[in-house]
């Protein structure tokens, strides 16, 4: 299975891609984070994230998708030519899945990757009036839009975005995997959790390893 590349920039929205990254993790899809440099990147959620690699270390053959999270303050990110130059290499790319949510499509527009494409975004119209980097003719007023290898979504559609990208890269997950609990009725049995019997031996071996490493004894 090829890896997923996650693009990072100042004040990116971790929340808007957290369902997608959880999906990748659950289905054993390796992720690599990329940024203009190796210094920690501060997310809009208040976390400092240390990128795995710089843009210059990107190797196309390793990856089947590139994810662009939303941006709290998109203008400085858009004006940083390092971000745009990184994306410009994907002109004419039709196999790499490019997925952008909320304000993320602004960067694709600035890099010229939205020409003759259908897409959506969560960008203020006034921003687009001031900085017309996305072709208005391609905007589709829907929460999520798929156009070939391009997937875009508004920020509120982060669950649907995760499922759409997951399916596109071959993850066989149910559409309702992030549907939440609203409207569902649970019994006590539904909320009592057990490890599958076939996993117990591996689980006990892992617990023993953790206890041993911590210098503790079984029966803690």
């Amino acid at each position: 299975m090829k890896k997923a590349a996650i693009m990072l920039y100042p004040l990116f929205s971790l929340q808007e891609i957290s369902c997608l990254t959880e999906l990748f993790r659950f289905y054993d899809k390796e992720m690599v984070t990329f940024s203009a440099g190796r210094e920690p990147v501060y997310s809009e959620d208040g976390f400092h994230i240390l990128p795995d690699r710089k843009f210059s270390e990107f190797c196309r053959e390793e990856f089947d998708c590139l994810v662009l999270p939303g941006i709290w303050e998109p203008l400085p990110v858009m004006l940083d030519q390092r971000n745009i130059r990184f994306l410009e290499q994907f002109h004419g790319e039709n196999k790499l899945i490019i997925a952008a949510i909320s304000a993320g499509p602004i960067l694709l527009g600035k890099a010229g990757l939205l020409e003759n494409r259908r897409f959506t975004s969560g960008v203020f119209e006034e921003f687009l009036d001031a900085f017309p980097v996305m072709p208005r003719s391609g905007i589709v007023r829907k929460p999520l839009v798929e156009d070939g290898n391009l997937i875009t979504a508004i920020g509120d559609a982060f669950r649907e975005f995760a499922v759409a990208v997951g399916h596109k890269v071959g993850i066989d997950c149910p559409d309702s995997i992030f549907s939440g609990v609203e409207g569902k009725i649970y019994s006590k049995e539904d909320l009592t959790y057990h490890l599958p019997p076939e996993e117990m031996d591996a689980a006990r071996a892992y617990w023993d390893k953790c206890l041993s490493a911590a210098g503790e004894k079984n029966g803690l």
Side-chain angles (χ1 to χ4, degrees):
M1 181 185 293
K2 289 194 174 184
K3 304 171 187 175
I6 313 294
M7 191 173 174
L8 302 182
Y9 22 74
L11 295 179
F12 75 95
S13 175
L14 186 61
Q15 180 271 328
E16 288 174 345
I17 61 168
S18 61
C19 284
L20 178 56
T21 56
E22 176 69 14
L23 193 66
F24 286 159
R25 180 67 174 171
F26 187 80
Y27 283 90
D28 296 321
K29 185 174 185 65
E30 186 176 348
M31 294 171 280
V32 181
T33 54
F34 287 86
S35 188
R38 289 299 306 277
E39 63 274 7
V41 182
Y42 192 59
S43 80
E44 72 170 34
D45 322 78
F47 293 93
H48 282 93
I49 308 296
L50 184 64
D52 296 310
R53 303 182 196 174
K54 297 185 293 185
F55 291 151
S56 59
E57 299 174 291
F58 181 85
C59 178
R60 170 66 184 87
E61 290 72 24
E62 287 185 58
F63 301 92
D64 61 6
C65 71
L66 170 66
V67 178
L68 284 73
I71 321 166
W72 184 260
E73 294 182 3
L75 186 57
V77 178
M78 186 184 77
L79 294 177
D80 187 335
Q81 287 301 309
R82 296 175 298 175
N83 296 318
I84 307 309
R85 285 195 296 268
F86 172 68
L87 291 170
E88 286 175 340
Q89 68 181 295
F90 304 115
H91 275 284
E93 172 68 62
N94 57 16
K95 291 185 178 180
L96 181 76
I97 306 305
I98 299 176
I101 188 168
S102 190
I106 284 178
L107 304 183
L108 299 179
K110 179 66 173 176
L113 301 182
L114 296 181
E115 295 296 329
N116 301 313
R117 304 301 297 268
R118 298 169 62 253
F119 62 91
T120 189
S121 77
V123 181
F124 293 122
E125 293 298 309
E126 293 76 12
F127 185 94
L128 293 181
D129 289 339
F131 304 99
V133 297
M134 298 196 302
R136 295 291 184 99
S137 60
I139 297 176
V140 180
R141 306 296 178 179
K142 291 184 178 181
L144 185 141
V145 175
E146 294 189 44
D147 183 0
N149 65 317
L150 177 66
I151 301 175
T152 52
I154 64 172
D156 289 347
F158 59 91
R159 299 178 184 87
E160 294 79 4
F161 179 72
V163 172
V165 177
H167 286 171
K168 202 74 170 181
V169 299
I171 293 176
D172 185 18
C173 64
D175 291 345
S176 60
I177 191 168
F178 295 118
S179 61
V181 300
E182 184 177 356
K184 295 181 180 179
I185 299 175
Y186 293 90
S187 67
K188 291 182 179 180
E189 289 74 20
D190 291 332
L191 300 179
T192 303
Y193 304 102
H194 297 281
L195 280 170
E198 64 272 17
E199 295 183 13
M200 280 304 303
D201 288 343
R204 291 189 185 281
Y206 174 70
W207 297 338
D208 287 342
K209 180 180 178 182
C210 290
L211 289 168
S212 177
E216 303 288 351
K217 296 180 179 179
N218 288 331
L220 178 65

